[in-house]
Amino acid sequence: MKFFFFLCFLVPLTGFSQSEKNHNPVPTKSQLAWHQMEFYLFAHFGPNTFTDKEWGEGTEPEDIFNPTHLDCRQWCRVAKAAGAKGIIVTAKHHDGFCLWPSKYSTHTVRESKWKNGKGDVLKELSQACKEYGLKFGVYISPWDRNHPKYGTPAYNEVFIKMMKEIFTRYGPIWELWWDGANGEGPNGKKQVYDWDRFKRTIKAISPNTVIFSDVGPHIRWVGNENGIAGETNWNLLDTTGFTPGAGAPPADTLNRGNVNGKNWIPAECDVSIRPGWFYHKEEDEKVKTPEQLFQLWLRSVGRGANLLLNVPPDRRGRINEKDSAALLGFKNLRDANFKDNFSLTAKKEFHYDGIIYKQNEFADGNPKTFQNPLDYSRADFWIKFDPVKRINCIVLKEVIDKGQQVKQATLYLLKGADAVKEIPLTTIGHKRIITFPAEDISAIRFVIKDAKGTAMISEIETYLVNENLIEK
Ligand code: FUL
């Protein structure tokens, strides 16, 4: 009897992964660390900031670039205050202008009057990020409308040299962002990018950098520029036969991933706080509101993706007051609405084959501890409230170190013996936020209906967020 009880007790706790049978990719250490980042800023900055264009021609005189009060420490202060974990800057956009004095171009900050040609945005920003404890990332556009070698095999060499220069001078680089755009250069030709060589170069010089492109190798584009991930969002993607840019899989596939994808390549949602990517004064009144940013959070981070929010510095070289106000408002909304996780003080029960275990690792506020039922069809997770609680938001978390497992699940909301609401869902991943019109309930029963292997549920959090913030 004792032995039987011992077994029953152990079984639900020691599920071995069925993914050993079905191949299920797992994230690397760098990718796992990336998932923890959740939210960081994008900074589109360059000649376009001063010409009011979105795509420069590459023929703009270098003197156009002339920020009056560049202050990268201010960018970092704003990012920090907003709860963002890093900044990715457009080291080189499609116009080819380099925000650092590159040896491999004559279209750089060095050729401008700014700081008498002695300025270096990458230097200032990389140092400021270190000072403020933020991760530093670079966007480097392979498409270059200025470089005389673009459109010839020699340009691939130039691109590689530029990357090496950036990594050596300003590293460590946490994320490298490759834009897939492939337009014509000054000689009217398009470049044939040597993606394999580009990848090998970075792997050799900076193996911990996570590389973003439409198809990874480490992080994928989410398939739109609205900041919205699929409600079903697999961190997996099949990439055979695909390339970044025009050769990428359909947007829908990028948006949801592939359930049985061969590679761990999670989605990143890039979106701008303004209509454009670069700063334009006439968009000062079109900055997204804190409430809109909160909605984006729900649809990106709340669907297991990361949010890369573009906040373009203005012509002074500072994050504009309108944008910083919106960012701080957004931070306050997150803090205020996710402050009180009712699950922490509720009664938790884990049921396996109808036997009740008073285990609470699935709702103890510690994302490292979890419940991993060997056979999900025999397990129920319960959170009980006495007296009833009014809630409209549930946050689910899966430990993904050993792969993403949950395919389908249901949340049952109960009041006494009555079922108040049944909420079906698909994937969970790093984080899944579910919102619904508020209900007074006495219990939540969470059941996994289908999984690829042994799911590790680390948190089921419950909140009452401001009604005006959630989808009706
Ligand atoms: C796109 C670019 O063409 C836009 O200008 C912007 O940089 C966006 C993030 O990526 O591909």
Side-chain angles (χ1 to χ4, degrees):
M1 185 65 190
K2 241 188 192 164
F3 180 65
F4 175 72
F5 179 76
F6 183 67
L7 263 189
C8 290
F9 190 76
L10 264 192
V11 161
L13 285 178
T14 54
F16 58 82
S17 176
Q18 287 164 28
S19 61
E20 283 155 22
K21 276 184 269 159
N22 320 324
H23 170 69
N24 197 4
V26 297
T28 63
K29 253 185 150 180
S30 309
Q31 286 174 318
L32 265 182
W34 176 89
H35 280 282
Q36 300 297 335
M37 300 275 293
E38 291 191 356
F39 165 53
Y40 34 89
L41 302 188
F42 215 175
H44 275 67
F45 191 50
N48 296 341
T49 312
F50 303 87
T51 56
D52 268 336
K53 287 184 190 160
E54 279 291 315
W55 281 6
E57 312 285 332
T59 49
E60 296 76 16
E62 289 82 20
D63 282 345
I64 280 283
F65 182 81
N66 196 10
T68 51
H69 299 89
L70 180 80
D71 187 356
C72 292
R73 298 175 75 240
Q74 185 255 1
W75 306 8
C76 291
R77 278 198 300 279
V78 173
K80 262 301 224 223
K85 300 279 166 51
I87 303 181
I88 301 180
V89 67
T90 51
K92 177 174 84 113
H93 202 250
H94 309 326
D95 56 26
F97 185 81
C98 301
L99 292 186
W100 79 106
S102 176
K103 273 201 276 182
Y104 308 103
S105 168
T106 52
H107 192 50
T108 80
V109 279
R110 186 187 50 231
E111 283 73 34
S112 75
K113 278 202 210 101
W114 177 60
K115 296 195 171 176
N116 295 319
K118 299 273 183 277
D120 184 340
V121 181
L122 295 196
K123 187 171 173 193
E124 291 195 32
L125 183 59
S126 58
Q127 285 178 352
C129 282
K130 276 191 191 122
E131 181 184 336
Y132 285 86
L134 293 165
K135 298 278 188 200
F136 175 58
V138 283
Y139 163 117
I140 317 177
S141 168
W143 182 24
D144 193 317
R145 301 176 98 178
N146 172 274
H147 206 285
K149 297 219 165 103
Y150 184 89
T152 75
Y155 172 80
N156 285 332
E157 195 58 45
V158 170
F159 189 66
I160 284 174
K161 284 187 169 144
M162 284 181 169
M163 291 195 293
K164 283 187 174 166
E165 190 174 46
I166 290 178
F167 276 73
T168 323
R169 288 192 199 164
Y170 313 108
I173 309 286
W174 145 73
E175 179 168 331
L176 168 59
W177 220 90
W178 281 336
D179 197 303
N182 182 208
E184 293 171 359
N187 63 6
K189 293 206 176 119
K190 288 186 180 175
Q191 181 71 27
V192 181
Y193 301 134
D194 194 343
W195 292 112
D196 281 341
R197 249 191 96 197
F198 299 167
K199 275 188 250 174
R200 283 201 305 275
T201 303
I202 303 304
K203 196 172 175 189
I205 61 171
S206 185
N208 295 329
T209 296
V210 286
I211 303 178
F212 166 99
S213 84
D214 300 64
V215 292
H218 308 121
I219 311 299
R220 75 172 192 269
W221 186 44
V222 77
N224 63 65
E225 291 182 340
N226 309 322
I228 300 178
E231 284 191 61
T232 296
N233 178 19
W234 288 98
N235 293 315
L236 309 176
L237 191 71
D238 283 322
T239 53
T240 310
F242 294 112
T243 62
D252 193 45
T253 304
L254 294 174
N255 197 241
R256 297 147 171 258
N258 298 118
V259 54
N260 291 316
K262 298 262 177 311
N263 314 285
W264 188 275
I265 308 182
E268 181 183 80
C269 298
D270 60 317
V271 58
S272 186
I273 198 166
R274 292 161 170 258
W277 289 102
F278 285 87
Y279 176 83
H280 310 295
K281 189 163 182 38
E282 75 269 14
E283 293 181 354
D284 277 355
E285 302 311 319
K286 295 186 178 155
V287 173
K288 291 187 173 64
T289 61
E291 290 74 19
Q292 287 170 319
L293 295 173
F294 189 88
Q295 294 279 338
L296 281 177
W297 172 268
L298 295 180
R299 292 172 187 174
S300 52
V301 175
R303 294 179 181 177
N306 275 7
L307 173 60
L308 170 58
L309 180 64
N310 180 60
V311 183
D314 62 18
R315 291 187 181 179
R316 293 170 303 175
R318 292 174 65 89
I319 291 181
N320 194 268
E321 289 73 3
K322 306 264 181 198
D323 306 61
S324 52
L327 279 172
L328 297 194
F330 171 39
K331 171 73 160 67
N332 289 340
L333 286 182
R334 277 164 20 240
D335 287 350
N337 287 283
F338 292 122
K339 193 174 63 183
D340 213 354
N341 169 13
F342 304 143
S343 301
L344 293 179
T345 47
K347 187 169 156 202
K348 273 84 65 176
E349 289 174 4
F350 178 67
H351 296 195
Y352 199 81
D353 283 341
I355 298 171
I356 301 173
Y357 300 95
K358 304 250 176 265
Q359 287 163 272
N360 69 350
E361 285 89 343
F362 63 90
D364 61 355
N366 178 357
K368 292 208 173 104
T369 58
F370 53 84
Q371 226 79 44
N372 57 339
L374 178 60
D375 181 349
Y376 57 78
S377 69
R378 291 152 69 187
D380 303 52
F381 302 71
W382 286 82
I383 297 178
K384 296 186 171 175
F385 302 106
D386 184 16
V388 294
K389 269 278 176 214
R390 190 164 182 77
I391 68 160
N392 60 6
C393 177
I394 297 176
V395 180
L396 297 157
K397 293 179 186 167
E398 190 180 337
V399 172
I400 52 177
D401 307 31
K402 301 212 163 57
Q404 186 180 357
Q405 311 293 359
V406 177
K407 287 169 97 170
Q408 258 177 40
T410 304
L411 285 159
Y412 298 92
L413 308 192
L414 302 146
K415 192 170 179 188
D418 301 334
V420 175
K421 193 185 269 304
E422 204 175 303
I423 307 171
L425 58 121
T426 54
T427 51
I428 297 177
H430 172 68
K431 189 178 271 187
R432 181 80 175 92
I433 308 179
I434 312 275
T435 57
F436 44 89
E439 299 283 1
D440 292 312
I441 58 161
S442 57
I444 295 173
R445 179 176 157 238
F446 172 69
V447 178
I448 299 171
K449 302 274 178 169
D450 194 6
K452 292 180 75 175
T454 306
M456 303 193 270
I457 303 302
S458 64
E459 291 303 317
I460 303 176
E461 303 170 355
T462 41
Y463 300 95
L464 180 64
V465 307
N466 186 321
E467 283 281 300
N468 299 322
L469 291 171
I470 62 172
E471 291 170 70
K472 298 276 152 36

